[in-house]
Amino acid sequence: MSRMNTPALEDVPDETTAILDRLGAQLGFVPNMFRTLASNPAVLDAVVNLQGTMSRVLDAKTRHTIALAVSEANGCAYCLAIHTYVSSELGGMSSRDIELARTGSSVDRKRAAAARFARQVVVSRGRVGDAELVAVRAAGYTDPEILAIVTVAVQALLTNFLNNVNQTDIDIPTVRSPGGPG
């Protein structure tokens, strides 16, 4: 059970309603995480704006892969559920690639390097070695893209920490398997 108040949609502050409506239209539902954050409009605004800004760096599958790798490394069940849902239902990632992403890998060589690097950033608390930088550069990432990988990882850390502190109730729809019912 969530340890913080998760207000009903009709009980959120007025200044957060438009944000939650946009998220609901985009995702098909308003996740508990965002409803909880809505109790503090400044925090909700900060998280949503960071996510919006970071949606313009790297490609979507790479961002999803990083989020899954980081969420697995942090043991965030809520974030694993939402990122699995978004990666599968909205991001076009296969079940195999989602499984690999959770381990810090991918079916795509370059994306796998980004996931490994992001995972190492989290595990080392940002103190990656020269070898990790050489490896991510060898996969084709530029220094500006490496900065983006780190920032996407930190964005995932932020929501991991918020959800781990809260123990947010998982309200994510079941992911449909290819060719089968959800």
Side-chain angles (χ1 to χ4, degrees), residues 9 16 21 35 73 81 86 113 115 132 137 164 177:
L9 288 174
T16 64
D21 288 346
R35 288 187 19 234
V86 171
E132 284 85 13
R137 286 179 177 134
N164 281 344
S177 52

Side-chain angles (χ1 to χ4, degrees), residues 58 66 114 117-118 121 128 132-138 140-153:
L58 306 169
I66 291 167
F117 184 75
V121 166
V128 296
E132 284 85 13
L133 280 171
V134 167
V136 76
R137 286 179 177 134
Y141 287 102
T142 64
D143 286 357
E145 290 171 322
I146 293 168
L147 292 172
I149 292 168
V150 172
T151 306
V152 170

Side-chain angles (χ1 to χ4, degrees), residues 64-133:
H64 295 317
T65 299
I66 291 167
L68 285 159
V70 168
S71 297
E72 182 71 30
N74 280 303
C76 184
Y78 190 88
C79 292
L80 284 168
I82 189 76
H83 289 298
T84 297
Y85 174 80
V86 171
S87 298
S88 172
E89 302 301 305
L90 307 175
M93 288 177 66
S94 70
S95 296
R96 176 73 179 133
D97 207 12
I98 291 169
E99 287 174 32
L100 287 170
R102 290 179 64 165
T103 67
S105 191
S106 173
V107 297
D108 177 86
R109 180 190 66 78
K110 187 173 181 181
R111 216 171 28 234
R116 274 192 304 277
F117 184 75
R119 193 174 203 309
Q120 188 58 36
V121 166
V122 170
V123 171
S124 71
R125 293 183 287 185
R127 292 179 176 86
V128 296
D130 292 341
E132 284 85 13
L133 280 171

